[in-house]
Amino acid sequence: MQKSTFSRLVGAIGGSWIGLTLSCGAALAQVEGRPTPGGIGLPAMVTPVGLETQQFYNNILLPMITLIPIFVLGLLVYVMWRFNEKRNPVASKNHHNVPLEIVWTSIPCLILAGLAFPSLALLTHQVIVPEASVTIKVTGNQWYWKYEYPQDQGGGFAFEQRVKPDSELQAGDLRMLSVDNEAVVPVGEVVKVQVTSSDVIHAFGIPSFAVRMDAIPGRLNETWFKVEKAGIYYGECFFICGKDHAFMPIAIRAVSRPEYEKWLAEAKEKFASNGPARQVAAANQ
Amino acid sequence: MASLTAVDSHDHHAAPSGITRFLFSTNHKDIGTLYIILGSIGGVIGFLLSLGMRLELAQPGIQIFPALAQIMHGADADSALDAGKNLYNMFITVHGVLMIFFMAMPILIGGFGNWFVPILIGAPDMAFPRLNNISFWLLVASLLLAVCSMFVGGAPGLKGFAGGWTFYPPLSSNVGTPGPAMDFVILALHLAGASSILGAINFITTMFNMRTPGMGLMKMPLFCWSMLVTAFLLVLVLPVLAGCVTMLLTDRNFGTSFYDPAGGGDLLLFQHLLWFFGHPEVYIIILPAFGIISQVISTFSRKPVFGYHGMVYAMIAIAVIGSVVWAHHMYTVNLSLNAQRYFVLATMVVGVPTGIKIFSWIATMWGGSISFRAPMIWAIGFIFVFTMGGVTGIVLSNAGADKQFHEGYYVVAHFHYTLSLGAVFGIFAGFYYWFPKMTGYMYSERLADITFWLLFVGVNVVFFPQHFLGLAGQPRRYIDYPDAYALWNAVSSFGMIFVTAAMAAWIYSIVEAVRAKRPAGDNPWGEGANTLEWTLTSPPPFHQFLTPPAVPAE
C-alpha cells in the first residue's frame, strides 16, 4: 500500500462520511415526542432534565468524542506518511520519553475531571425527585403498561395501555407507538412516576423526557419529569421482556391543568370497572 | 530462579497422529489450533445469526423470522408470528453467547495464547499440558449444550432461551422461561467457565515458572503480559459468574429464591453478580488483542514498543479498575445517588490507562520504519476504531447521559466498535501475523488487503449509523422498530454486504494460501520481529526449546 494513497483514501472516506451525516442532520425538522425520520441526534426535549441532557451531550460530550478520534486519526495519518519505510529506512531506537508520558496521562485526567462536574450535576437533578403534584404508579407487564392514578389526587382508577394493532391505525397514528389509552399528565408540573413490574423486568423509557427507569418486580423505583410543552409523547419498553418486547409502547399526553382535571373525571368513570388504584400514603414523600 | 535443565529427551520419536494427536493432545500448539478452529466455527455461526438479524431489520415490519421459525422449529402458520418474534430474541442471545464465549475467547486466549505464550517465554509447553487438553474439550461440550438449548422448550409454547446473553431473571427464571432451555444455557456456562478457569491457572503457572533464564517478568513480551493479566481476571471473576449462575439453577430447579422477591430474594443480586463478572469479561476479551497489537506494531515499525513499563502498568490498571466499575451497566435500576456517582467516576478513570496505550502505540510508530504488511494494516485500523469505541464508552460512563442511552442502539454501537471492530481487528492482526508461523505458508498480501478493506468498510457502515439510532431513541433487542428509524437501519443492514464479502474473502485467502504453499520461512517479517517464535521453523517443531533459549536482544 502506498502511503499517500492510503492516507488520501482515509481522508476521503472520513470526510465524506462526516459531510453526509452533517447534511442529513441539518435537513431534518424535529417534532417533540416522536422519533425524527432519519434523525442523527437526540430528540427534541421537553423537560428540564431532558434539556440539560441535551446540552451536556451536544455541547460537551459530542465535541469531545468527535475531536479525539480525529486527533488520533491525524496522528496515525502523519505517522504513516512520515515514517513509512521508504521515507524513513532506519528506525530510531528511542522508546522512552517520560515528560511525554506525563503529558499524555495528565491531559486525559484533566479532561475527565472537567467532564465530571456537569455529569454529576445532571445525575443529581435526575435522581433527586423534587416535590411532585402528581404521582403515578406504572407497572410493566408482559406485554403492556398499567397506570394507576391515586385517589387522593383526583384519580382512583387504573387502566392498561396497549399498542394499537396495525389494522386499527388511523391517520396521524404512528405504527408501533400509538396506543389505545393514553396516560395524561398536567403541563408544567412535577410528575413523580413510581415504576415496578408484575412479572419480568421491563423498563419505562421516554426519549423526549430523558426518562428511563427499570421496572423490576419486588422493587419500587421512582423517577420524575416535568413536561414544559403540551403534546403527545411516545416511549417504549427498554428492557428485553419476551416475545413482544418491541410491542409495548408508552404514550403520555401533556395538557393544561383544567384539561387534566377534566380527563381525571372522565377516566374515573371510563375505567371504573378496572378496580381501584392504590392510595398514595403521602404523595410528596 | 533455579537454572532450567532439559526435562526429557523424547523428541526423537514421531509426533502422534490422527485421533490420538488431537483428542488426547498435550501439545500447546495442537490445542491452540483446535481452539482456533472452534473459535472460527463459533464466529461463522455468530456471523450468520447477525446476518439474519440485519436482514430482518433492513426494513420496518417483520419479514423473515416467522418463516424462519417455521423452518427451524416447525411452528405452524398460526403461531409463526409469535415463534418468529421469540426466534429473533433467541438469535440475539445466541449471537452474544457465541461471539463472546465461542469466538473471541477461544481464538485469543485458547488459540493464540496457547500457541505463543510458551514459545515467547522460551518454554517447551504449558505448565500443565493435560489440563490444557481438558480445557479445550470442556469448551466443546459447552458449545454442544448451548446449541441444544436452542431446540428445547423455553418460554411457554416457545423454544430456546430468548432473554439476551445477560440472561436476567425473572425472564431467565421459571417466571419467564419455565422450559429447560435456560438450564442448558446455565450448564453450558458452567463448563465454559471451568474451561477458562483451568486455562487461566495454566497460563499463570506457566508464565511465573517457566520463563527462560534471564527473562525477568519485565522482559516478557507484551503479548505474554496481556495474557497474564487476562488470566488473573479470569481466575478472579469466573467463580463469581459460577456462583451467580448456580443460584439461578437452584432457583429454577431446587426451590430456592435467591432471585425471587416473593421468597425474600433480590433481582439486583443477580445483576451485581453478573456484571461483577461481565465487565471484567470485556477486558478479558480486549487485553489479549492489546497484546497482539503491541507485538505487531513493534515488528512492523522495526522499533521496540514505546514505554514498555507504562504499557505493563496500563494493562494492570485497566484490569484492576475494570474490576470495580461493574454497576455502570445498572444505571437505570435506581441505585443510590452516591453509588451512581462512584461508578461514574471510577468508570471514567479507565480511559486514562487506555489512552496511555493508544498514545504509546502511536509513539512506537513515530520514528520507526513502517512496513504496511497485512498485520500492520489491521493493527493501525484497530487503533483508530478502538479509539472511536472508547470515546462512546466515556459518553456512556456518565450516568446522567446514560439514562438516555441505556438499552438503546448507542450502547450496541459502542460495544460493537470495541468488539466487532476492536477485538476482531486484533484477531485478524494476530491471524495474519502468525498464520505463516503456524502453517509454514505465506498468505497472499493482495487477498489480505482486500479482506481488510471489505471488513473495514463493512463494519463501519453497519455500526456507525447505530449511534444515530441510539441517539434518536431506538431500543435494542427489538425485532421491529417505528418507521422513523428506517433510514439508518437500512444503511446499517446494507453494510452486511461488505462484511459477508469480507468473510468470504478471508476464507478464500486461507484456502488459497494452503493450496499455493508458498514457504513462509522462519521469519517473514525481517529485523522488527525479535521475539522467540521467529527463531523457530515455520511451522515450529512438535516440541521446541527442550533446551532453554537465550533471551532475545531488544
Side-chain angles (χ1 to χ4, degrees):
Chain A
M1 286 247 111
Q2 287 297 327
K3 35 121 179 137
S4 53
T5 322
F6 183 78
S7 53
R8 265 194 238 128
L9 201 52
V10 166
I13 292 175
S16 55
W17 195 241
I18 293 174
L20 175 71
T21 59
L22 282 176
S23 57
C24 278
L28 300 162
Q30 291 187 306
V31 176
E32 291 95 345
R34 60 193 60 190
T36 307
I40 65 166
L42 287 169
M45 296 291 191
V46 296
T47 60
V49 165
L51 284 165
E52 197 180 339
T53 304
Q54 189 176 50
Q55 278 159 3
F56 180 50
Y57 184 81
N58 286 345
N59 300 343
I60 300 179
L61 289 174
L62 185 58
M64 186 192 84
I65 68 173
T66 309
L67 288 174
I68 292 175
I70 289 178
F71 173 62
V72 168
L73 182 63
L75 286 173
L76 283 173
V77 165
Y78 175 74
V79 153
M80 288 190 289
W81 169 77
R82 172 65 188 85
F83 298 108
N84 77 72
E85 57 188 344
K86 287 193 176 60
R87 266 185 95 95
N88 199 44
V90 180
S92 96
K93 292 271 181 272
N94 179 25
H95 51 109
H96 282 298
N97 187 333
V98 174
L100 183 59
E101 293 183 81
I102 293 177
V103 165
W104 71 38
T105 307
S106 44
I107 292 189
C109 281
L110 291 171
I111 294 176
L112 292 174
L115 262 188
F117 292 96
S119 177
L120 294 182
L122 170 61
L123 179 64
T124 309
H125 295 150
Q126 288 175 340
V127 172
I128 309 280
V129 179
E131 223 176 270
S133 54
V134 176
T135 301
I136 305 175
K137 182 163 173 203
V138 177
T139 305
N141 307 279
Q142 285 178 315
W143 287 278
Y144 61 92
W145 295 96
K146 179 169 160 198
Y147 295 80
E148 292 172 72
Y149 283 70
Q151 191 160 24
D152 47 358
Q153 288 179 352
F157 57 86
F159 63 89
E160 296 174 358
Q161 185 177 72
R162 288 188 154 78
V163 69
K164 256 196 203 172
D166 289 1
S167 50
E168 289 173 31
L169 290 173
Q170 289 158 350
D173 281 343
L174 294 172
R175 192 183 71 93
M176 285 181 73
L177 290 176
S178 291
V179 301
D180 52 2
N181 298 317
E182 291 166 358
V184 181
V185 298
V187 163
E189 296 183 36
V190 174
V191 176
K192 175 157 59 174
V193 187
Q194 296 181 327
V195 184
T196 187
S197 166
S198 67
D199 42 33
V200 299
I201 296 179
H202 303 265
F204 186 78
I206 303 172
S208 293
F209 293 0
V211 157
R212 198 160 306 180
M213 185 57 75
D214 282 8
I216 301 174
R219 188 176 170 89
L220 192 67
N221 285 336
E222 219 173 66
T223 187
W224 72 281
F225 55 80
K226 181 172 155 204
V227 189
E228 308 278 38
K229 189 172 166 187
I232 175 100
Y233 302 100
Y234 295 105
E236 302 190 80
C237 175
F238 276 88
F239 198 82
I240 187 166
C241 55
K243 70 176 174 72
D244 280 315
H245 166 50
F247 303 101
M248 44 183 292
I250 294 155
I252 310 262
R253 183 177 288 280
V255 298
S256 66
R257 192 7 105 157
E259 284 175 30
Y260 174 65
E261 295 191 352
K262 189 157 146 273
W263 173 81
L264 279 176
E266 286 166 1
K268 239 203 292 219
E269 272 193 53
K270 180 175 173 197
F271 300 123
S273 56
N274 288 353
R278 275 151 272 235
Q279 276 193 308
V280 176
N284 291 321
Q285 258 173 356
Chain B
M1 197 163 99
S3 59
L4 288 172
T5 51
V7 173
D8 62 38
S9 49
H10 70 259
D11 55 321
H12 54 265
H13 58 66
S17 65
I19 255 199
T20 316
R21 177 166 175 178
F22 290 104
L23 196 58
F24 305 136
S25 178
T26 52
N27 183 287
H28 71 104
K29 295 185 283 296
D30 285 351
I31 292 174
T33 300
L34 286 170
Y35 267 108
I36 292 176
I37 293 172
L38 178 85
S40 302
I41 293 172
V44 167
I45 301 176
F47 157 73
L48 289 171
L49 294 172
S50 69
L51 188 60
M53 291 188 276
R54 281 300 345 154
L55 276 170
E56 177 61 72
L57 292 172
Q59 287 180 305
I62 299 179
Q63 289 89 28
I64 69 173
F65 269 78
L68 206 52
Q70 287 186 289
I71 297 170
M72 272 185 74
H73 290 147
D76 59 54
D78 286 331
S79 59
L81 181 59
D82 277 354
K85 290 174 181 174
N86 177 72
L87 185 64
Y88 180 87
N89 291 349
M90 202 223 296
F91 264 42
I92 299 173
T93 307
V94 178
H95 171 78
V97 170
L98 283 182
M99 290 307 206
I100 293 172
F101 295 103
F102 300 103
M103 189 279 290
M105 290 172 77
I107 294 181
L108 286 165
I109 303 172
F112 295 139
N114 262 317
W115 248 99
F116 292 105
V117 165
I119 295 178
L120 259 48
I121 62 172
D125 207 301
M126 297 284 278
F128 305 117
R130 209 162 281 113
L131 193 71
N132 209 2
N133 179 284
I134 199 177
S135 278
F136 174 73
W137 290 107
L138 278 172
L139 199 64
V140 173
S142 172
L143 179 58
L144 288 172
L145 282 174
V147 169
C148 279
S149 80
M150 299 200 288
F151 298 99
V152 298
L158 298 163
K159 296 246 190 294
F161 175 65
W165 85 271
T166 46
F167 62 104
Y168 285 13
L171 191 55
S172 60
S173 68
N174 285 328
V175 171
T177 309
M182 189 60 214
D183 301 293
F184 275 91
V185 172
I186 292 172
L187 295 171
L189 287 170
H190 273 147
L191 294 182
S195 160
S196 288
I197 291 174
L198 296 177
I201 292 172
N202 221 341
F203 278 113
I204 295 172
T205 314
T206 305
M207 279 185 268
F208 276 178
N209 292 290
M210 294 172 67
R211 298 186 313 278
T212 195
M215 183 184 281
L217 277 173
M218 290 311 237
K219 286 225 164 57
M220 231 176 28
L222 283 171
F223 176 65
C224 299
W225 263 109
S226 74
M227 292 299 310
L228 184 61
V229 176
T230 302
F232 270 101
L233 276 178
L234 283 166
V235 157
L236 175 72
V237 302
L238 276 170
V240 178
L241 176 69
C244 168
V245 125
T246 305
M247 286 193 276
L248 184 62
L249 189 69
T250 61
D251 269 17
R252 290 175 55 84
N253 296 291
F254 301 111
T256 57
S257 43
F258 293 108
Y259 306 130
D260 181 2
D266 186 354
L267 289 163
L268 287 200
L269 174 64
F270 179 89
Q271 295 189 25
H272 282 292
L273 292 172
L274 191 276
W275 288 115
F276 187 83
F277 152 76
H279 190 76
E281 169 65 18
V282 313
Y283 294 115
I284 286 166
I285 296 175
I286 203 66
L287 281 166
F290 283 169
I292 294 174
I293 299 299
S294 289
Q295 301 299 150
V296 169
I297 299 255
S298 167
T299 297
F300 294 96
S301 305
R302 299 187 178 99
K303 262 182 87 196
V305 173
F306 183 97
Y308 173 92
H309 284 69
M311 290 296 246
V312 171
Y313 298 139
M315 285 195 283
I316 295 174
I318 288 170
V320 169
I321 302 170
S323 301
V324 294
V325 298
W326 71 91
H328 64 236
H329 299 270
M330 295 166 61
Y331 281 148
T332 56
V333 304
N334 205 23
L335 297 172
S336 76
L337 179 58
N338 279 334
Q340 293 188 57
R341 281 174 171 152
Y342 160 73
F343 282 107
V344 169
L345 298 173
T347 306
M348 289 206 297
V349 169
V350 167
V352 177
T354 314
I356 289 174
K357 295 191 78 67
I358 301 274
F359 294 129
S360 295
W361 286 318
I362 297 176
T364 304
M365 295 166 70
W366 195 287
S369 180
I370 303 172
S371 118
F372 292 103
R373 305 294 297 273
M376 187 59 166
I377 297 180
W378 286 105
I380 295 174
F382 171 95
I383 295 176
F384 177 58
V385 298
F386 188 79
T387 303
M388 288 180 65
V391 295
T392 53
I394 298 285
V395 168
L396 293 167
S397 71
N398 295 287
D402 183 66
K403 300 286 188 294
Q404 191 62 8
F405 300 122
H406 184 71
E407 289 297 302
Y409 260 86
Y410 199 88
V411 177
V412 176
H414 160 69
F415 65 71
H416 281 102
Y417 259 84
T418 49
L419 293 172
S420 287
L421 284 79
V424 165
F425 278 35
I427 288 173
F428 276 108
F431 174 81
Y432 285 105
Y433 186 53
W434 281 318
F435 175 86
K437 176 58 54 183
M438 292 189 283
T439 61
Y441 303 131
M442 198 55 196
Y443 59 82
S444 147
E445 203 65 47
R446 212 176 120 257
L447 281 175
D449 282 354
I450 291 173
T451 307
F452 171 79
W453 283 109
L454 283 172
L455 193 68
F456 182 82
V457 169
V459 289
N460 274 288
V461 174
V462 172
F463 293 112
F464 194 78
Q466 294 186 359
H467 296 105
F468 301 151
L469 293 172
L471 283 161
Q474 184 181 346
R476 64 183 284 212
R477 296 170 163 169
Y478 262 36
I479 185 177
D480 191 8
Y481 46 82
D483 300 339
Y485 300 119
L487 172 65
W488 297 116
N489 271 291
V491 173
S492 175
S493 294
F494 177 72
M496 288 304 278
I497 296 177
F498 294 94
V499 177
T500 309
M503 295 299 292
W506 171 65
I507 292 173
Y508 177 65
S509 73
I510 299 175
V511 170
E512 192 274 344
V514 169
R515 281 235 196 101
K517 295 186 173 24
R518 291 172 292 263
D522 294 3
N523 180 4
W525 308 130
E527 59 173 297
N530 57 8
T531 39
L532 282 168
E533 74 269 47
W534 310 110
T535 65
L536 299 172
T537 58
S538 299
F542 194 67
H543 291 309
Q544 75 279 342
F545 300 147
L546 287 163
T547 317
V551 177
E554 270 286 283

